[in-house]
């Protein structure tokens, strides 16, 4: 088998776009990776075309994995199954509906299994299951990431229950890569349905989709015929699924290699660089060195709309940020953003609350108040960070968790509680920085860290001063008095040991000089991550758990039992 496709000698010079029916000059259309310049429709690529497009030039090596496909059932519909196989092989020049290769994308080694819809509609049978499984096992042996390019109409009916078993077979293979800490990426192309969609296509760490690609278990026609309803026009498209938290990225074909390269780079930590003219660690750890401040004024400063947001800091203090979307359960909360990035060359996972600078941005981001899908998205990214051994950096800036009825119906309290437990046990360094307002459990759900820092004008409290005043003083006007009583200023938090250090703000606040604030944030994070990276995974967990166990009484089971015995005697 070669990477050339079988084409007719008298191939037409013009093609008709299947999306908008515009006539396209074939050579121009081919140079444009078979994407319509008029409507953006992404035509199907063959597996050989896909591999040639994705791999670095000269970096492709086909895997000589035999595809064993047998007619075990003696299946005959309008023609015998062996006849269908022979016809598919003759038309495509392929042995099966998957082509496997090793090579590099952006210089990063990877194993790829690319499906070809031309071969019996990319149906999942024993041969396909075997090839995908062996590609995963090759990645496991070579300790490199796995990329699967999907294109399938569903299970191969001619193989009956043996086809069904391939869903479990391939899922188990991806599970082994999870255990080994190897990155898996799924590239969804149009269409991806049935057994492929319900197994390896959606089990990858990161799911990337081409624009307009359809993904689902049951096809649109089957659903409409079954429930007798007309489905939305965009139903099951990549864009539809991105909005609902099932897809991380929708990437046009001409950007795929670059975006995949960035993802692969995050899974291949190398030597990290140093800051040019690296400043002294800006963190202040002695509360006596911090000036006294009016607590209510500090709350107002923490809420200023000119303060840099998480996305602002990602642009100024980090490089190569790749935002990942969705909780894979049905939502993608805009109040939480996260993804891979580099901190002075070191790959990290950054997750933070996102507010905004204008009324429109605040409304779009729910004023930085996450719902359950926001916390579950954060949890998914933290688990991925742990799998890839990436430090986790969280940037906290929220009035609190979203207080709506729909959030409660979708398990707001459960989502927060699960994040607290998850963060307490992460076996990678975790550093949290309160960049503005840290409100209640909605903030803590992203701040169970080995090191917790805060900007000088930040605040962190169990409740807002307004809420406390309304409940305890029965008077909203008592908010300034409540702010003082709650002890949520940076100076108070450092005195209480709630935070480990304070990052001084530029004159006029972080909003007055965002670049200088970002420089100080970067320097503080580099120092903290460097310190923690010298610790073993178990030591990191122990350090974090002991940190939070220490808030309050120092009583232990041993001292409690001793006191009990002494009291009895």
């Amino acid at each position: 088998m070669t990477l050339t496709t079988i084409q007719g000698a008298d191939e037409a010079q013009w093609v008709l776009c299947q999306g908008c029916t515009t006539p396209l000059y074939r050579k121009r259309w081919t140079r444009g990776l078979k994407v319509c310049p008029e409507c953006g429709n992404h035509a199907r690529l063959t597996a050989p075309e896909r591999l040639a497009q994705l791999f670095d030039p000269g970096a492709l090596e086909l895997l000589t994995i035999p595809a064993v496909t047998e007619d075990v059932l003696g299946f005959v519909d309008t023609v015998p199954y062996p006849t269908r196989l022979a016809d598919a092989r003759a038309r495509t020049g392929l042995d099966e509906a998957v082509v496997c290769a090793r090579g590099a994308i952006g210089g990063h080694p990877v194993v790829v299994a690319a499906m070809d819809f031309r071969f019996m509609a990319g149906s999942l049978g024993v041969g396909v299951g075997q090839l995908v499984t062996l590609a995963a096992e090759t990645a496991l042996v070579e300790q490199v990431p796995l990329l699967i390019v999907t294109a399938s109409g569903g299970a191969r009916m001619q193989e009956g229950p043996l086809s069904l078993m391939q869903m479990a077979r391939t899922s188990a293979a991806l599970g082994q890569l999870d255990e080994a800490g190897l990155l898996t990426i799924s590239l969804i192309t149009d269409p991806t349905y049935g057994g492929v969609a319900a197994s390896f296509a959606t089990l990858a760490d990161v799911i990337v989709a081409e624009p307009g690609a359809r993904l689902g278990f049951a096809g649109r026609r089957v659903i409409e015929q079954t429930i007798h309803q007309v489905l939305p026009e965009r139903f099951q498209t990549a864009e539809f699924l991105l909005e609902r938290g099932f897809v991380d990225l929708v990437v046009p074909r001409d950007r795929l290699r670059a975006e995949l390269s960035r993802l692969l780079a995050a899974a291949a930590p190398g030597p990290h660089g140093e800051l040019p003219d690296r400043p002294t660690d800006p963190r202040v750890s002695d509360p006596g060195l911090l000036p006294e401040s009016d607590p209510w004024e500090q709350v107002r400063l923490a809420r200023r709309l000119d303060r840099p947001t998480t996305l602002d800091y990602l642009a100024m203090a980090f490089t190569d940020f790749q935002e990942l979307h969705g909780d894979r359960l049905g939502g993608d909360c805009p109040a939480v953003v996260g993804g891979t990035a580099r901190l002075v060359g070191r790959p990290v996972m950054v997750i933070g609350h996102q507010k905004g600078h204008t009324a429109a941005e605040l409304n779009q981001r729910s004023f930085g108040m996450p719902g359950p899908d926001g916390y579950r998205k954060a949890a998914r990214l933290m688990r991925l960070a742990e799998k890839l051994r990436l430090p986790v950096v969280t940037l906290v800036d929220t009035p609190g968790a979203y207080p709506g009825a729909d959030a409660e119906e979708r398990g707001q309290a459960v989502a927060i509680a699960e994040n607290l437990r998850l963060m307490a046990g992460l076996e990678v360094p975790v550093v949290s920085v309160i960049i503005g307002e840290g409100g209640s459990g909605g903030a803590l759900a992203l701040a169970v860290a080995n090191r917790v820092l805060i900007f000088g004008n930040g605040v962190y409290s169990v409740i807002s001063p307004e809420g406390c005043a309304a409940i305890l003083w029965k008077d909203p006007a008592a908010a300034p008095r409540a702010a003082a009583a709650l002890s949520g200023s940076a100076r108070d938090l450092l005195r209480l040991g709630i935070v480990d250090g304070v990052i001084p703000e530029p004159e006029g606040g972080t909003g007055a000089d965002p670049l200088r604030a970002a420089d100080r944030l970067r320097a503080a994070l580099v120092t903290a991550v460097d310190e923690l990276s010298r610790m073993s995974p178990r030591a990191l967990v122990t350090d974090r758990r002991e940190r939070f166990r220490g808030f309050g009484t120092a009583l232990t089971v041993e001292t409690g039992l001793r006191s009990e015995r002494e009291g009895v005697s």
Side-chain angles (χ1 to χ4, degrees), residues 188 192-193 197 202 207 209-210 212-217 234-250 325-332:
I188 307 297
T192 297
Y193 281 117
T202 51
I207 300 178
E210 287 193 326
R214 293 166 294 168
L215 169 70
F217 187 53
R234 297 169 64 246
F235 185 71
Q236 293 184 325
T237 63
E239 295 77 10
F240 179 92
L241 296 169
L242 179 68
E243 294 170 358
R244 286 155 180 79
F246 295 110
V247 169
D248 285 285
L249 300 163
V250 177
H325 292 270
D327 64 355
R328 298 278 178 90
L329 293 172
D332 182 37

Side-chain angles (χ1 to χ4, degrees), residues 123-126 154-168 195:
S123 52
L124 175 60
V126 171
R156 189 167 297 179
M157 293 175 285
Q158 293 87 345
E159 296 184 13
L162 289 174
S163 171
L164 182 65
M165 295 302 106
Q166 304 313 306
M167 295 171 64

Side-chain angles (χ1 to χ4, degrees), residues 271-286:
H272 58 281
E274 293 291 330
L275 282 171
D277 302 322
R278 180 172 177 171
T280 304
D281 178 10
R283 296 176 296 177
V284 175
S285 56
D286 181 356

Side-chain angles (χ1 to χ4, degrees), residues 413-438:
V414 175
I416 292 172
E418 289 180 344
N419 269 28
L420 301 179
R421 179 174 60 185
L422 170 66
M423 293 192 76
L426 289 174
E427 294 188 340
V428 293
V430 184
V431 181
S432 296
V433 183
I434 299 156
I435 61 174
E437 184 177 14

Side-chain angles (χ1 to χ4, degrees), residues 100-118:
C100 301
R102 66 162 63 87
I105 298 176
H108 304 290
V110 63
V111 170
V112 178
M115 302 189 72
D116 196 314
F117 195 79
R118 298 173 305 158

